[in-house]
Amino acid sequence: MELPKFLLADNTDYPDAIFIVHTEYPRFIINLENDEVEWMEEFSKEDEADLMEEAESLIEAATAFYDREVSRYDA
């Protein structure tokens, strides 16, 4: 099965949360309510430096995905 790069998710246990799931490496879930990120990968110390550089652009892309999805829903 081919998955999209981002998925929008919710959970009734967290009614105010807006979860975006990034399905490609490095996989993560971000809660747009509080910008908390949960990484679904394990990283070495060497990888962490590269990850920090990439993380900002990935989080911006996740936010843009959410904005696009919401604008399509409102249309």
Side-chain angles (χ1 to χ4, degrees):
M1 168 181 14
E2 188 173 330
L3 295 174
K5 184 175 185 172
F6 293 106
L7 298 171
L8 183 59
D10 66 0
N11 186 302
T12 56
D13 291 337
Y14 303 91
D16 296 327
I18 302 168
F19 297 108
I20 304 295
V21 181
H22 182 252
T23 63
E24 297 176 356
Y25 184 85
R27 297 173 302 148
F28 65 87
I29 300 171
I30 182 170
N31 180 350
L32 296 180
E33 174 194 24
N34 58 16
D35 293 333
E36 186 175 334
V37 176
E38 180 70 30
W39 296 97
M40 299 164 57
E41 312 283 356
E42 291 188 26
F43 303 103
S44 68
K45 290 291 182 191
E46 296 80 27
D47 291 340
E48 285 182 18
D50 293 335
L51 176 64
M52 289 304 121
E53 291 178 18
E54 189 176 358
E56 185 175 342
S57 65
L58 288 172
I59 290 169
E60 288 174 6
T63 303
F65 163 77
Y66 173 76
D67 291 341
R68 186 191 78 196
E69 292 299 298
V70 169
S71 72
R72 289 178 176 175
Y73 181 76
D74 290 338

